[in-house]
Amino acid sequence: MSGKLYIVPTPVGNLDDMSVRAVRTLKEAGLILAEDTRTSGVLMKHFGIETRMQSHHKFNEHESVNAVAQRLEAGEVIALVSDAGTPAISDPGFLLVRECRRRGIEVECLPGPTAFVPALVNSGLPCDKFCFEGFLPQKKGRATRLQQLAVEPRTMIIYESPMRLLKTLQQLAEVFGGDREASVSREISKVHNTTHNGTLAELVEYFTATAPRGEIVLVVAGKEEAPTEKVDKYAKFKNTNKQNF
């Protein structure tokens, strides 16, 4: 009988965000797969979790997926955590979940912390429809992707490192236009959590004078539909209705 894989979100900053169910699941699992056992070890010690851990990160996941799946097929209950947030969201996890689904192994993802949701809501930008970009390509394909995103109508969420934030803001301002609204959230849920709102040009100016630190989530407004485009679509709708009646 197959076991079960639990995907367990962990706090992105404040340990109080760890759920009671997440703690219980990690205590009851036979094995915890951790992105970095040293980082996760601090969390486990804080909550008194003594379950054995094993490394599962982007450098070894391709090789370890089959072995983990075989253990699950043998009946083990295994939990997967990343350093912070929900596994598989710009972190290892997708390959293992996909393999488990392929083999008919039960997978359950617990609800819990992820950095982009608070950043999106805090931004004040439309959040009824949005697209999650994660980390943009660093070199190959970056220019092409920025051109594609320039016409994206939905609010965009981008993860970025503090070292690359200013360069990314400058490139976005150049491709999207400096008047595009955006928001930069850093250190979500931590003591020094801050959110800066403004146009891309204003954010470039601010972070040129103030070096960013910590984990960064960048939220950018989608491209607004031009007024003429709205009129044309409405006219087309009226003409269609005339034909129908």
Side-chain angles (χ1 to χ4, degrees):
M1 181 178 180
S2 294
K4 184 173 181 178
L5 175 68
Y6 284 96
I7 309 300
V8 183
T10 55
V12 296
N14 193 322
L15 292 180
D16 289 342
D17 293 335
M18 188 73 168
S19 74
V20 173
R21 184 183 174 202
V23 173
R24 184 180 71 247
T25 300
L26 293 176
K27 286 183 175 181
E28 294 177 352
L31 174 68
I32 297 173
L33 300 176
E35 185 178 3
D36 186 325
T37 55
R38 295 166 299 180
T39 300
S40 296
V42 176
L43 180 75
M44 304 306 162
K45 183 177 180 180
H46 180 83
F47 289 102
I49 300 168
E50 299 179 350
T51 308
R52 184 170 67 86
M53 288 192 293
Q54 176 179 309
S55 294
H56 184 85
H57 46 71
K58 65 180 181 180
F59 300 110
N60 73 357
E61 63 176 333
H62 285 85
E63 292 74 24
S64 63
V65 160
N66 183 59
V68 172
Q70 288 178 345
R71 296 177 68 163
L72 287 162
E73 286 179 322
E76 286 195 52
V77 174
I78 297 176
L80 173 68
V81 299
S82 60
D83 288 348
T86 302
I89 304 297
S90 289
D91 278 325
F94 162 71
L95 293 178
L96 180 57
V97 172
R98 182 177 64 179
E99 183 63 16
C100 287
R101 291 301 187 196
R102 189 182 71 81
R103 298 188 185 207
I105 299 168
E106 187 177 1
V107 178
E108 182 174 356
C109 180
L110 276 59
T114 188
F116 77 80
V117 174
L120 173 62
V121 176
N122 284 341
S123 73
L125 295 171
C127 51
D128 54 334
K129 294 180 181 179
F130 60 90
C131 63
F132 176 71
E133 283 296 310
F135 289 95
L136 294 171
Q138 290 188 30
K139 294 181 180 179
K140 186 178 180 181
R142 186 179 180 90
T144 300
R145 190 62 189 142
L146 288 176
Q147 291 292 342
Q148 293 170 340
L149 291 176
V151 295
E152 168 60 57
R154 297 169 294 178
T155 300
M156 293 160 276
I157 302 165
I158 299 169
Y159 283 170
E160 194 51 278
S161 75
M163 292 79 72
R164 293 194 301 265
L165 175 64
L166 180 58
K167 179 181 178 181
T168 296
L169 288 170
Q170 291 170 334
Q171 291 174 332
L172 289 171
E174 181 180 347
V175 178
F176 291 15
D179 59 346
R180 185 79 70 94
E181 293 290 325
S183 173
V184 174
S185 292
R186 53 179 293 275
E187 298 292 83
I188 296 290
S189 86
K190 298 180 183 179
V191 175
H192 301 293
N193 174 24
T194 58
T195 296
H196 295 280
N197 301 82
T199 64
L200 287 170
E202 289 169 341
L203 290 171
V204 167
E205 182 180 358
Y206 177 83
F207 286 106
T208 297
T210 308
R213 295 180 180 178
E215 300 296 323
I216 303 289
V217 183
L218 173 59
V219 184
V220 185
K223 179 179 173 57
E224 289 189 6
E225 193 176 65
T228 54
E229 292 175 350
K230 294 179 182 178
V231 172
D232 290 343
K233 286 185 177 181
Y234 182 58
K236 183 178 179 181
F237 171 76
K238 289 196 296 183
N239 292 335
T240 302
N241 280 344
K242 285 181 180 179
Q243 294 173 1
N244 291 337
F245 292 95

